[in-house]
Amino acid sequence: MDIDELKSAIDLHDLAEKLGLRKGKSGNYFAPWREDKNPSLSIYDGGRKWKDHGDSSKGGSAIDLVMAYKDCDVSFAMRFLHNTYGVVFQTWIWPVMFHNLDI
């Protein structure tokens, strides 16, 4: 699975639950990285994207949500999603990438 497939495969409502995000009465979630008195983290696009309406710099895909919640880099977020969902990612091996080239 590549990154684009991952972004479309993981339902962010499920991920939010696995991360322990608190859901408000409106259906939005409380942003755990700041004091959020009114739930301002919304999930949209069929559960594939999110946005923190209280902090316009935060939003995106499952990877971005893990990075924001865990305060981590992409590599850690990918490993977290692999461990949580059993997602297998494509790996590239140098000789395989160039096997059709006449070098």
Side-chain angles (χ1 to χ4, degrees):
M1 177 176 288
D2 66 20
I3 290 177
D4 290 330
E5 291 170 325
L6 170 74
K7 289 177 181 180
S8 66
I10 293 178
D11 181 273
L12 293 180
H13 292 285
D14 183 63
L15 178 58
E17 184 178 315
K18 289 183 185 321
L19 290 171
L21 298 184
R22 219 167 37 115
K23 194 173 193 177
K25 293 177 185 174
S26 67
N28 285 350
Y29 297 85
F30 291 90
W33 42 81
R34 61 182 177 77
E35 190 174 326
D36 194 4
K37 294 182 182 183
N38 297 308
S40 60
L41 190 155
S42 65
I43 294 175
Y44 63 98
D45 196 22
R48 303 302 178 241
K49 293 182 182 175
W50 68 278
K51 178 171 180 52
D52 180 355
H53 297 277
D55 181 349
S56 62
S57 70
K58 295 205 183 316
S61 69
I63 296 167
D64 301 302
L65 183 57
V66 173
M67 288 176 19
Y69 180 79
K70 299 249 181 217
D71 191 25
C72 66
D73 63 12
V74 172
S75 177
F76 182 90
M78 299 282 283
R79 285 193 309 272
F80 175 84
L81 293 170
H82 168 73
N83 292 336
T84 304
Y85 289 96
V87 176
V88 177
F89 298 104
Q90 287 179 345
T91 57
W92 296 96
I93 302 171
W94 187 83
V96 173
M97 288 173 50
F98 299 102
H99 75 280
N100 288 328
L101 297 178
D102 293 325
I103 299 178

